[in-house]
């Protein structure tokens, strides 16, 4: 009798919708990826931007292979990651294509400055990061883009923009951090202080 084999749970196929629904419970920080220069610009809202390594400073973002920004990232070899503040839901919605906005139209209504290689960076982002494309790895429906950080500008605003269960949330440092501190265990505080 093979006890080990008997204890291995039978793998079942996870349906894409089931996975999508499960991932709604993961809180995502909202950023806008920007690409291009001059009038040839585009951008998109993402929750997949994340730090890869601090030395060298690198980040990753997962971009749908059909997204209009991806060919620009390849063409110009550069992109921006604009970490949105709690007051920038309108920017997030424009760059998610709300109202059918495309390309340069999405940039209206906010102040943009030219970063490295001319890539547009949002002046009032919590942090605006300029990256050079280090590598693009295509996997399934998405491209994993690795960016080498070459520029950082920070405004350190009081609230960040998050996305959770299909809704935007403002995470406010003073209010939410002090509320969390009340329920934190002393050991977990020590780990992060
Ligand atoms: C909160 C939020 C997070 C998103 N995160 C991603 C992401 O990480 N990767 C991605 O490919 N699309 C993501 N999207 C979808 C793109 O923003 C959207 O499809 C956009 O219109 C793509 O740009 P395009 O229309 O110019 O191709 C997200 C949308 C929202 C609202």
């Amino acid at each position: 009798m093979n006890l080990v084999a008997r204890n291995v749970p039978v793998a079942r196929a996870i349906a894409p919708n089931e996975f999508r629904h499960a991932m709604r419970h993961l809180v995502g920080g909202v950023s806008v990826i920007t690409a291009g220069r001059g009038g040839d610009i585009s951008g998109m809202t993402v929750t997949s931007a994340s730090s890869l390594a601090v030395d060298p400073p690198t980040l990753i973002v997962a971009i749908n292979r059909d997204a209009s920004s991806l060919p620009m990232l390849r063409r110009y070899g550069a992109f921006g990651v604009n970490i949105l503040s709690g007051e920038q839901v309108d920017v997030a919605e424009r760059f998610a294509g709300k109202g059918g906005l495309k390309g340069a139209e999405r940039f209206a209504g906010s102040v943009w400055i030219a970063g490295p290689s001319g890539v547009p960076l949002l002046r009032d982002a919590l942090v605006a990061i300029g990256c050079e494309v280090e590598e693009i790895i295509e996997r399934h429906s998405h491209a994993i883009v690795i960016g080498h950080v070459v520029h950082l500008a920070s405004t350190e605003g009081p609230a960040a923009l998050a996305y959770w269960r299909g809704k935007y949330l403002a995470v406010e440092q003073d209010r939410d951090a002090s509320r969390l501190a009340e329920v934190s265990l002393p050991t977990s505080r020590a780990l992060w202080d």
Side-chain angles (χ1 to χ4, degrees):
M1 185 170 26
N2 186 339
L3 290 175
V4 174
R6 267 179 30 158
N7 288 333
V8 173
V10 178
R12 68 180 176 94
I14 304 295
N17 265 340
E18 184 184 359
F19 180 56
R20 183 182 293 121
H21 186 78
M23 294 308 289
R24 283 164 53 88
H25 299 277
L26 176 64
V27 181
V30 183
S31 304
V32 162
I33 300 301
T34 45
R37 75 166 77 109
D40 184 29
I41 49 177
S42 192
M44 61 189 284
T45 299
V46 300
T47 47
S48 58
S50 176
S51 166
L52 175 62
V54 291
D55 187 12
T58 33
L59 53 75
I60 54 171
V61 58
I63 296 180
N64 193 295
R65 287 164 66 177
D66 294 333
S68 67
S69 302
L70 189 57
M72 286 195 181
L73 250 94
R74 288 188 199 282
R75 196 155 65 242
Y76 291 98
F79 64 102
V81 178
N82 304 276
I83 302 177
L84 297 189
S85 81
E87 285 121 46
Q88 292 168 329
V89 174
D90 56 327
V91 180
E93 292 198 317
R94 292 183 80 84
F95 281 87
K98 193 179 176 192
L101 293 174
K102 299 253 176 236
E105 296 169 342
R106 295 179 181 169
F107 291 74
S110 307
V111 180
W112 299 88
I113 49 179
S117 313
V119 72
L121 296 178
L122 181 60
R123 189 195 60 188
D124 299 328
L126 281 185
V127 183
I129 306 170
C131 295
E132 287 169 357
V133 174
E134 188 175 301
E135 193 175 350
I136 298 178
I137 302 158
E138 295 200 357
R139 195 57 48 89
H140 310 304
S141 55
H142 278 60
I144 302 159
V145 180
I146 301 177
H148 173 58
V149 176
V150 292
H151 173 91
L152 282 176
S154 167
T155 60
E156 312 231 337
L161 189 62
Y163 196 73
W164 188 51
R165 296 180 174 165
K167 291 200 171 105
Y168 292 100
L169 301 171
V171 181
E172 290 179 38
Q173 177 105 60
D174 292 343
R175 193 196 59 193
D176 297 333
S178 57
R179 195 186 296 163
L180 274 175
E182 285 167 21
V183 296
S184 296
L185 295 172
T187 46
S188 64
R189 280 191 70 171
L191 280 174
W192 292 102
D193 280 348

